[in-house]
Amino acid sequence: MAIFKDRHYFRVNLEKKTDESLWMKCKSCGELVFKRRVRENNNICPHCGEYFFLTAQERIESLIDKGSFTDISKPIVASDPLLFQDTKPYPQRIEEAQEKTALASAIIIGSVTIVGIPVVMGVMDFRFIGGSMGAVMGEQICHGMEEAIRRRQPFILVSSSGGARIQEGLFSLLQMAKTAAVRGRLAEEHLPFISIMTYPTTGGVQASIASLGDIIIAEKGAMIGFAGRRVIQNTIAEELPSNYQTDAFALEHGFIDRVVNREDLREELGKVLGFFVEAQ
Amino acid sequence: MAIFKDRHYFRVNLEKKTDESLWMKCKSCGELVFKRRVRENNNICPHCGEYFFLTAQERIESLIDKGSFTDISKPIVASDPLLFQDTKPYPQRIEEAQEKTALASAIIIGSVTIVGIPVVMGVMDFRFIGGSMGAVMGEQICHGMEEAIRRRQPFILVSSSGGARIQEGLFSLLQMAKTAAVRGRLAEEHLPFISIMTYPTTGGVQASIASLGDIIIAEKGAMIGFAGRRVIQNTIAEELPSNYQTDAFALEHGFIDRVVNREDLREELGKVLGFFVEAQ
Amino acid sequence: MSDERTLDLLEAKIKELRELDKTDGINLSTEIARLEKKLEALREELYANLSDWERVKIARHPKRPYSLDYIREVFTDFYELHGDRLAGDDRALLVGLARLDDRPVVLLAQQKGRSTQENKERYFGMTRPQGYRKARRAMSLAERFSFPVISLIDTPGAYPGLESEELNIGGAIAENLLAMANLRVPTIAVVIGEGGSGGALAIGVADRVLMLENAIYSVISPEGAATILWKEKERMKEATAALKLTAPRLLDLKVVDEVIPEPLGGAHKDSHKTASSLKESLLRHLAEVSDIPLKKLLAARYQRYRSLGRYSTLNDQ
Amino acid sequence: MSDERTLDLLEAKIKELRELDKTDGINLSTEIARLEKKLEALREELYANLSDWERVKIARHPKRPYSLDYIREVFTDFYELHGDRLAGDDRALLVGLARLDDRPVVLLAQQKGRSTQENKERYFGMTRPQGYRKARRAMSLAERFSFPVISLIDTPGAYPGLESEELNIGGAIAENLLAMANLRVPTIAVVIGEGGSGGALAIGVADRVLMLENAIYSVISPEGAATILWKEKERMKEATAALKLTAPRLLDLKVVDEVIPEPLGGAHKDSHKTASSLKESLLRHLAEVSDIPLKKLLAARYQRYRSLGRYSTLNDQ
Ligand SMILES: [Zn+2]
Ligand SMILES: [Zn+2]
């Protein structure tokens, strides 16, 4: 992955990531399970089937043809246009996220093949400040779509985001408009855009690029919606059903095309891409 | 009105229509009212304000600049492609309707001015077999839209129809597609189409041309909807609210732009047409 | 004349005889052959001149193949898409991508239920606004990616009910008519069972309109027409005859392009055979409309609908 | 420093003195003039360097002019259009035709309520999916007839609630962003009060984005940011300062094109004057964007949004 070569830029200590313990306890069923088995199983508990978070790299690996990944992310990182500081300065927050994830930002753009079909793919990483969309994510998504146009390939976006990056203020809000505008170009070029919504796809990401897929697929267990439970309960104190913002809720109310198990996503993508690639 | 000159074609006995009695009893308030006053008052009861049915001619008079009407209907009348017979043969039904109304069909197409603005207007007459849409009405509406395109004028359609003309079978159903197709041409030509829904605008007319207006205005008291109360109650035995298919229901649920009093419709049309005519 | 049930009984008896013939070594082959000939003759007598009302019964036969049956047999790789992105997902109108031989198409398919549970879920095949709007979304997808659109029509009608009205079902149908009239891809519609009024037409505006032999397509149900025109629901047979709603009659009236033959007794007697006839017809028509340059195709479609309907001019009278 | 209420009291006193001056023949004119001067000085002191939080309070001031106030004063012949043709009519986002001087335009205007009853009807100015979809319909109308689109933005945000979610409010906002990015007519958006997050942006993608001087425009409310980032709602003043959500700061950041001046103390101090500044600005910008050929205008709009956002390249670090 090209941009990680000079990883001293991010002050990332990759050694930190090496995890010595071989076992983990599943938060769902409580069983002790082999970490390696979990990882080989798409981060699904081999005992109870619970899905754990996938990092962007793990997600990419679970979806693409082995070894087909080339990182084509733009070499950019967040700046601090507002000189934002909450409990800590924004640049510090970014650095910490970079150290934790070994990523430059909350999204990776890759050139990959899926079941032999070349596509451009963007994958968010929730660990990086909740996968929030700031200027870098917006730019990377647009860059990905433009690469798809240049290469005449489909574009796939795997969302995992709580919404906008508050620390970039209005700049982050406006990424919603920016990504929507460039998505329009993809449509004009008759190139397919498959949006994959995972846990969670909410707020500004759900209310922009993620909802604009030609086909929208939710990973089983995804959380999909605009306003969080807490916001609604704080604002209007309304009772919410237990299936609020679940994959089933989104399917029932017509927002998404399909709900697919994590382990079947790759095959699913191959199937749906097949229709569009033939049609070119 | 050109096509009525040779009215022996319709075997219409216009003398029959002359009504000797000067008074009528309002069905709503029970008062005896002067017929002439009712007629001069847009067929609104001068006592209680109840709206009575308007014939197509009365509707035209109530909407247009005095004396500006030229009948540009196509010289066509219903044929009987199915040789349809229920309690009486279809041709007999047509003849009776023609006699009763002195109209060739359930719609008149006119070239008129409204507050000085030249438009092509179609007006249905509910007395003519419930204003039902058969091949003649479909053709006349398309003819009206084509005339509007030829003259570069707005098109206005005043609906008063229970739906499709059953006696013409599938031919009548297909008028929905026919009028929608020609409405597409009007849109391509950037000419405005104002749809006015009156009591009743239901069934196949509501589910096609009447719902495709750039602006949709309901006359106060209009009935607007697809399936009649009886159909719903026969099919699924569902409780219906008292405002079912009223103008208020249609406004609340977003089908129409405005509800307007009969006596204000002309001025309203002048106002809305003004925007589009300037924009040309 | 013998009815369908009698013939089914006879067929069962023949089957029993054939078993007997096998297991006990008794030779009944001559008798069986004779019986089979008789059965076939009776069947032809029964079905050759189906009345319009009998066709209505076949069109609504509970064993008649539904959209999903044809989708399984005629198409491959059906990939269903859900939701109108507005308010819901209607299970009485399915949309999706599929392949006809190797060619990707967009399918719009009305689907009835077989079981009580399935019928509840599918509203007895009656499409709701969410279904029409899902179809419209699929049309846009088809247009963007140049997929032909194939509609399989099978509905008693649009779903009448408060929720449908609240979601402006009339407006939803109207918008579909407009969209299909201008859709910039080849389109084929096939009435496979019931073509119920505006509820069917809303996915039925196309370059080719085909009907299975025992399908019906009507501005109103026979029962509805009987109720409105004769004030007696029981006169639906008369209404049926008057409405000319069967495939052969509509072909005569030139409002459909082709009637796709069904096996004797109806599609449900041999759904594989019906599916194969349907596929042959779809392939042929799709090849034809695909050969026409888009501009010409759209002009022809427009002309088709613009000229629909019969009337007299005053001078003819 | 004196607060707004003290100054209002002083103003009232001066008014009383002026009455006294008139009715009783006592000459107080010198004293009154002196007091008025003092008042003006105090006011300038108070308002000249409004803190960001004070601007938030002005932006949300219950007497602040709302969309309908400006529609009355800036435009003529407002002709409201209702309904999304799908599911309802939102009263928190009004759309309609109107004239700006003599030119017909399409207006999209978010509207708060003044009374409890009106606020109930208008959901406290929070737009629902029905509102965004109505706006989208109005955009199509504008495009078909080449009407420019003018948005007046004033909302705490999109309405959060079960019904909104059931009607896919996120999808509705997203579709509007896409539509406005490509809308083939000139577009101007003005934040007149609160520009609340995606709920504002959904009608705010435009060739020109303007703000009234005391309007705010933010990715999240100060209270929301305080709750999420500081875990204390009460730290909204800090959050306000950090978010840089006032018009002058956003002008500095070059994400808005112009700040339209308000009278000292806020638009509600002189709504006529504010309206007249707004009108002047709208006319000027509309003339400018109308002079640009459509193709160029669309390219410029695309470029505007394509290039939005600041980041560092790795080589810069
Ligand atoms: Zn487990
Ligand atoms: Zn009365």
Side-chain angles (χ1 to χ4, degrees):
Chain A
M1 288 182 253
I3 66 161
F4 300 127
K5 273 180 195 152
D6 301 320
R7 65 176 174 262
H8 57 274
Y9 277 128
F10 312 116
R11 301 181 197 86
V12 172
N13 183 353
L14 267 187
E15 277 67 80
K16 255 192 190 167
K17 291 211 67 210
T18 316
D19 188 343
E20 298 303 319
S21 86
L22 295 172
W23 298 84
M24 62 178 280
K25 191 174 174 175
C26 171
K27 278 182 185 164
S28 175
C29 65
E31 289 287 319
L32 277 180
V33 286
F34 246 129
K35 273 195 184 169
R36 198 165 60 89
R37 262 201 76 198
V38 171
R39 218 162 279 145
E40 284 170 1
N41 196 30
N42 277 315
N43 272 14
I44 303 169
C45 173
H47 195 260
C48 71
E50 178 76 10
Y51 290 3
F52 308 129
F53 264 113
L54 289 181
T55 66
Q57 284 101 329
E58 286 166 346
R59 174 68 72 184
I60 289 167
E61 277 163 35
S62 87
L63 290 178
I64 69 166
D65 300 341
K66 212 178 163 79
S68 70
F69 176 78
T70 310
D71 191 316
I72 59 167
S73 308
K74 258 192 164 174
I76 55 176
V77 288
S79 65
D80 184 15
L82 270 52
L83 307 175
F84 198 96
Q85 171 146 8
D86 45 81
T87 51
K88 55 182 92 159
Y90 181 44
Q92 186 188 333
R93 219 173 259 287
I94 294 287
E95 275 173 35
E96 288 171 6
Q98 288 172 336
E99 284 198 34
K100 187 171 81 178
T101 61
L103 293 173
S105 73
I107 189 169
I108 297 175
I109 307 295
S111 164
V112 306
T113 68
I114 294 176
V115 197
I117 301 166
V119 302
V120 175
M121 185 159 73
V123 179
M124 299 180 193
D125 196 309
F126 190 75
R127 296 171 304 159
F128 200 107
I129 315 184
S132 53
M133 178 159 73
V136 170
M137 183 184 285
E139 179 65 23
Q140 295 286 21
I141 292 172
C142 293
H143 164 68
M145 290 190 279
E146 285 167 347
E147 276 299 307
I149 291 171
R150 208 175 58 75
R151 298 161 187 242
R152 309 291 314 156
Q153 290 174 1
F155 180 66
I156 295 175
L157 179 65
V158 184
S159 297
S160 180
S161 169
R165 174 81 49 91
I166 299 176
Q167 292 86 351
E168 293 182 23
L170 207 63
F171 285 111
S172 86
L173 181 72
L174 293 170
Q175 300 310 305
M176 293 168 65
K178 170 170 170 165
T179 52
V182 179
R183 190 270 175 269
R185 289 284 158 104
L186 207 58
E188 277 168 29
E189 298 284 341
H190 307 286
L191 289 166
F193 165 32
I194 319 288
S195 172
I196 300 182
M197 295 180 169
T198 74
Y199 184 95
T201 300
T202 56
V205 167
Q206 195 257 340
S208 64
I209 188 69
S211 285
L212 294 173
D214 291 304
I215 309 286
I216 302 181
I217 295 170
E219 179 176 74
K220 193 161 159 43
M223 179 192 211
I224 295 163
F226 183 63
R229 210 170 248 282
R230 200 173 53 182
V231 174
I232 296 187
Q233 280 161 348
N234 287 348
T235 316
I236 59 167
E238 190 175 31
E239 275 298 312
L240 295 174
S242 63
N243 75 343
Y244 182 69
Q245 293 189 340
T246 59
D247 49 356
F249 182 93
L251 191 67
E252 177 190 341
H253 293 291
F255 314 172
I256 57 176
D257 286 299
R258 323 260 296 187
V259 175
V260 179
N261 287 331
R262 178 179 289 176
E263 55 270 37
D264 302 328
L265 262 177
R266 179 172 170 277
E267 202 187 333
E268 177 95 3
L269 278 175
K271 195 172 176 191
V272 66
L273 286 169
F275 286 104
F276 294 98
V277 173
E278 286 173 349
Q280 300 293 303
Chain B
M1 287 182 254
I3 66 158
F4 299 126
K5 272 181 196 153
D6 300 323
R7 65 175 176 263
H8 56 274
Y9 277 128
F10 312 115
R11 302 182 198 86
V12 171
N13 182 354
L14 266 189
E15 277 69 74
K16 255 192 189 167
K17 291 212 66 205
T18 317
D19 188 345
E20 297 303 320
S21 87
L22 296 173
W23 299 85
M24 62 177 280
K25 192 174 174 175
C26 171
K27 278 183 184 164
S28 173
C29 65
E31 289 288 317
L32 276 179
V33 286
F34 246 129
K35 274 196 183 167
R36 198 166 58 91
R37 264 200 74 198
V38 171
R39 218 162 279 144
E40 285 168 2
N41 195 31
N42 276 315
N43 271 14
I44 303 170
C45 173
H47 195 260
C48 71
E50 178 75 11
Y51 289 4
F52 307 128
F53 263 113
L54 289 181
T55 66
Q57 285 101 331
E58 286 165 346
R59 174 68 71 184
I60 290 167
E61 277 162 34
S62 86
L63 290 178
I64 68 167
D65 300 340
K66 213 177 161 79
S68 72
F69 176 78
T70 310
D71 191 317
I72 59 165
S73 307
K74 258 192 165 174
I76 55 176
V77 287
S79 67
D80 184 15
L82 270 52
L83 307 174
F84 199 95
Q85 170 146 11
D86 44 82
T87 51
K88 55 181 93 159
Y90 180 45
Q92 186 188 333
R93 221 173 256 288
I94 294 288
E95 274 173 34
E96 288 172 7
Q98 288 172 336
E99 285 199 33
K100 187 170 82 178
T101 60
L103 293 173
S105 74
I107 189 169
I108 297 176
I109 307 296
S111 163
V112 305
T113 69
I114 294 178
V115 197
I117 301 166
V119 302
V120 175
M121 186 159 72
V123 180
M124 300 181 193
D125 195 310
F126 191 74
R127 296 171 305 159
F128 200 106
I129 315 184
S132 53
M133 179 159 73
V136 170
M137 183 184 285
E139 178 65 22
Q140 295 287 20
I141 292 172
C142 294
H143 164 67
M145 290 190 279
E146 285 167 346
E147 276 297 308
I149 291 171
R150 208 175 57 75
R151 297 162 187 240
R152 307 293 313 158
Q153 290 174 2
F155 179 66
I156 296 175
L157 178 66
V158 184
S159 297
S160 180
S161 168
R165 174 81 50 90
I166 299 177
Q167 292 85 352
E168 293 182 22
L170 206 62
F171 286 111
S172 85
L173 182 72
L174 293 169
Q175 301 309 306
M176 293 168 66
K178 171 170 169 165
T179 53
V182 179
R183 190 272 175 268
R185 289 285 158 103
L186 206 59
E188 277 169 28
E189 299 284 339
H190 307 285
L191 289 166
F193 164 33
I194 320 287
S195 172
I196 301 182
M197 296 181 169
T198 74
Y199 185 97
T201 300
T202 56
V205 167
Q206 196 258 340
S208 64
I209 189 69
S211 284
L212 294 173
D214 291 304
I215 308 286
I216 303 180
I217 296 170
E219 180 176 71
K220 193 163 159 40
M223 179 191 210
I224 295 164
F226 182 63
R229 210 172 247 283
R230 201 174 50 182
V231 175
I232 295 187
Q233 280 161 348
N234 287 349
T235 315
I236 58 166
E238 189 174 32
E239 275 299 312
L240 296 174
S242 64
N243 75 342
Y244 182 68
Q245 293 190 339
T246 59
D247 48 357
F249 182 93
L251 191 67
E252 178 191 339
H253 293 292
F255 314 172
I256 58 175
D257 286 299
R258 323 258 299 185
V259 175
V260 178
N261 287 330
R262 178 179 290 177
E263 55 272 34
D264 302 327
L265 261 177
R266 180 173 169 276
E267 203 188 330
E268 176 95 3
L269 278 175
K271 194 171 175 191
V272 67
L273 286 170
F275 286 104
F276 295 98
V277 173
E278 285 172 352
Q280 300 294 302
Chain C
M1 206 168 87
S2 40
D3 67 3
E4 201 179 339
R5 196 183 305 176
T6 320
L7 297 191
D8 286 349
L9 276 174
L10 180 54
E11 190 173 15
K13 287 291 158 214
I14 296 176
K15 213 176 155 194
E16 285 168 30
L17 287 176
R18 219 184 274 118
E19 286 301 303
L20 217 66
D21 183 45
K22 238 185 286 171
T23 46
D24 296 63
I26 310 166
N27 192 338
L28 295 173
S29 57
T30 323
E31 291 76 3
I32 290 174
R34 207 167 287 162
L35 277 167
E36 278 176 336
K37 221 170 180 176
K38 179 71 181 169
L39 174 63
E40 200 169 321
L42 284 168
R43 207 161 247 163
E44 270 189 47
E45 188 193 319
L46 173 61
Y47 295 129
N49 288 296
L50 286 172
S51 75
D52 287 4
W53 177 246
E54 282 160 338
R55 286 200 199 267
V56 170
K57 286 197 292 184
I58 295 176
R60 296 169 172 175
H61 198 288
K63 287 190 180 155
R64 189 169 176 83
Y66 294 156
S67 280
L68 281 171
D69 302 304
Y70 293 121
I71 290 176
R72 250 186 303 273
E73 299 221 28
V74 175
F75 300 89
T76 51
D77 306 323
F78 178 54
Y79 185 80
E80 191 180 349
L81 303 175
H82 292 268
D84 59 3
R85 306 263 163 106
L86 298 165
D89 181 52
D90 185 24
R91 309 300 305 130
L93 199 167
L94 313 180
V95 317
L97 298 165
R99 284 189 180 79
L100 182 60
D101 277 0
D102 287 330
R103 181 151 182 205
V105 299
V106 162
L107 275 180
L108 316 176
Q110 288 171 321
Q111 177 67 31
K112 297 176 174 177
R114 297 240 181 252
S115 64
T116 308
Q117 176 54 35
E118 198 192 348
N119 263 321
K120 199 181 152 192
E121 191 185 313
R122 301 200 192 276
Y123 289 71
F124 292 86
M126 294 182 281
T127 308
R128 291 175 300 144
Q130 297 92 324
Y132 294 120
R133 294 191 176 118
K134 175 169 65 174
R136 191 149 157 243
R137 178 169 82 79
M139 292 176 207
S140 300
L141 189 75
E143 207 164 39
R144 178 170 293 167
F145 297 103
S146 300
F147 297 131
V149 173
I150 296 178
S151 300
L152 303 180
I153 294 170
D154 192 12
T155 183
Y159 183 71
L162 182 57
E163 190 216 37
S164 282
E165 296 284 336
E166 286 175 338
L167 293 174
N168 196 8
I169 190 159
I173 293 172
E175 296 282 353
N176 276 19
L177 300 177
L178 181 58
M180 291 199 92
N182 298 298
L183 206 65
R184 301 176 61 76
V185 293
T187 53
I188 301 175
V190 194
V191 188
I192 60 165
E194 283 188 276
S197 195
L201 184 62
I203 59 164
V205 176
D207 296 313
R208 293 283 189 277
V209 179
L210 319 175
M211 285 182 80
L212 286 187
E213 188 182 344
N214 293 305
I216 58 172
Y217 195 2
S218 181
V219 65
I220 189 169
S221 71
E223 293 81 359
T227 306
I228 292 177
L229 300 179
W230 281 270
K231 320 285 175 207
E232 271 181 71
K233 194 176 167 188
E234 291 63 37
R235 298 182 74 166
M236 62 238 184
K237 287 186 198 180
E238 268 166 88
T240 299
L243 284 166
K244 308 245 187 312
L245 45 65
T246 65
R249 298 205 192 278
L250 292 169
L251 186 69
D252 281 351
L253 290 170
K254 298 192 174 63
V255 285
V256 302
D257 300 298
E258 184 173 305
V259 174
I260 301 166
E262 296 183 22
L264 218 57
H268 59 290
K269 295 286 176 187
D270 188 344
S271 64
H272 307 295
K273 202 172 155 190
T274 315
S276 118
S277 303
L278 173 58
K279 183 171 182 179
E280 179 279 319
S281 179
L282 281 175
L283 281 170
R284 181 163 37 80
H285 285 286
L286 186 58
E288 275 177 35
V289 290
S290 302
D291 267 353
I292 305 170
L294 184 64
K295 218 177 141 180
K296 266 195 163 169
L297 187 71
L298 290 176
R301 191 191 305 154
Y302 185 80
Q303 202 41 49
R304 176 195 186 110
Y305 284 92
R306 176 63 191 86
S307 62
L308 253 169
R310 298 195 190 164
Y311 45 81
S312 310
T313 69
L314 280 181
N315 300 336
D316 293 348
Q317 283 202 323
Chain D
M1 203 169 86
S2 40
D3 68 1
E4 204 180 337
R5 196 182 304 176
T6 320
L7 297 192
D8 286 349
L9 277 174
L10 180 55
E11 189 174 15
K13 287 293 157 212
I14 297 175
K15 212 176 155 193
E16 284 168 32
L17 287 176
R18 219 184 276 120
E19 285 301 304
L20 218 65
D21 183 45
K22 236 187 286 172
T23 45
D24 297 62
I26 310 166
N27 192 337
L28 295 171
S29 57
T30 323
E31 290 77 4
I32 290 174
R34 207 165 285 162
L35 276 169
E36 277 176 335
K37 222 169 178 175
K38 179 72 179 169
L39 174 65
E40 201 169 320
L42 284 168
R43 208 162 246 164
E44 270 189 46
E45 187 193 322
L46 173 62
Y47 294 130
N49 288 296
L50 287 173
S51 75
D52 286 3
W53 177 247
E54 282 160 339
R55 286 198 199 270
V56 170
K57 286 198 292 184
I58 294 176
R60 296 169 172 177
H61 198 288
K63 287 190 180 158
R64 191 169 175 84
Y66 294 156
S67 281
L68 280 171
D69 302 304
Y70 293 120
I71 290 175
R72 250 186 304 275
E73 299 219 29
V74 175
F75 300 88
T76 51
D77 307 323
F78 180 53
Y79 186 80
E80 192 181 348
L81 303 175
H82 292 268
D84 60 3
R85 307 262 164 107
L86 299 165
D89 181 52
D90 185 25
R91 309 299 306 129
L93 198 168
L94 314 180
V95 316
L97 299 165
R99 284 188 180 80
L100 182 60
D101 277 0
D102 287 331
R103 181 152 182 203
V105 299
V106 161
L107 274 181
L108 316 176
Q110 288 171 320
Q111 177 67 32
K112 297 176 174 178
R114 296 243 180 248
S115 64
T116 308
Q117 175 54 36
E118 198 192 347
N119 262 322
K120 200 180 151 193
E121 191 185 314
R122 300 200 191 277
Y123 290 71
F124 292 87
M126 293 182 282
T127 308
R128 290 176 300 144
Q130 297 92 325
Y132 294 119
R133 294 193 175 116
K134 176 169 64 174
R136 192 151 157 242
R137 178 169 81 79
M139 291 176 206
S140 300
L141 189 77
E143 207 164 40
R144 179 171 293 168
F145 297 104
S146 300
F147 297 132
V149 173
I150 295 177
S151 300
L152 303 180
I153 294 170
D154 192 12
T155 182
Y159 183 72
L162 182 57
E163 190 216 38
S164 282
E165 296 285 336
E166 286 175 338
L167 293 175
N168 196 7
I169 190 158
I173 292 172
E175 295 282 353
N176 276 18
L177 300 177
L178 181 58
M180 291 199 92
N182 297 298
L183 207 65
R184 301 177 61 77
V185 293
T187 53
I188 301 175
V190 194
V191 188
I192 60 165
E194 282 187 276
S197 194
L201 185 63
I203 60 164
V205 177
D207 297 312
R208 293 284 190 276
V209 179
L210 319 175
M211 284 183 80
L212 286 186
E213 188 182 345
N214 294 305
I216 58 173
Y217 193 4
S218 182
V219 64
I220 189 169
S221 71
E223 294 81 0
T227 307
I228 293 178
L229 299 179
W230 282 270
K231 319 283 176 208
E232 269 181 71
K233 194 177 169 188
E234 291 63 36
R235 298 182 75 167
M236 63 238 183
K237 286 186 199 179
E238 269 167 88
T240 299
L243 285 166
K244 307 244 187 315
L245 45 65
T246 65
R249 298 205 192 279
L250 292 170
L251 186 69
D252 280 351
L253 291 171
K254 297 193 176 63
V255 286
V256 302
D257 299 297
E258 184 173 305
V259 173
I260 300 165
E262 296 185 21
L264 217 56
H268 59 291
K269 295 287 175 188
D270 188 345
S271 64
H272 306 296
K273 202 172 155 191
T274 315
S276 119
S277 303
L278 173 58
K279 184 171 182 181
E280 179 279 319
S281 178
L282 280 176
L283 280 169
R284 181 162 38 79
H285 285 286
L286 185 58
E288 275 177 35
V289 291
S290 302
D291 267 355
I292 304 171
L294 183 64
K295 218 178 142 179
K296 266 194 164 172
L297 187 70
L298 290 177
R301 191 191 306 155
Y302 185 80
Q303 203 40 50
R304 176 197 187 109
Y305 285 93
R306 176 65 189 86
S307 62
L308 253 170
R310 298 195 188 165
Y311 46 82
S312 310
T313 68
L314 280 183
N315 300 335
D316 293 348
Q317 282 202 329

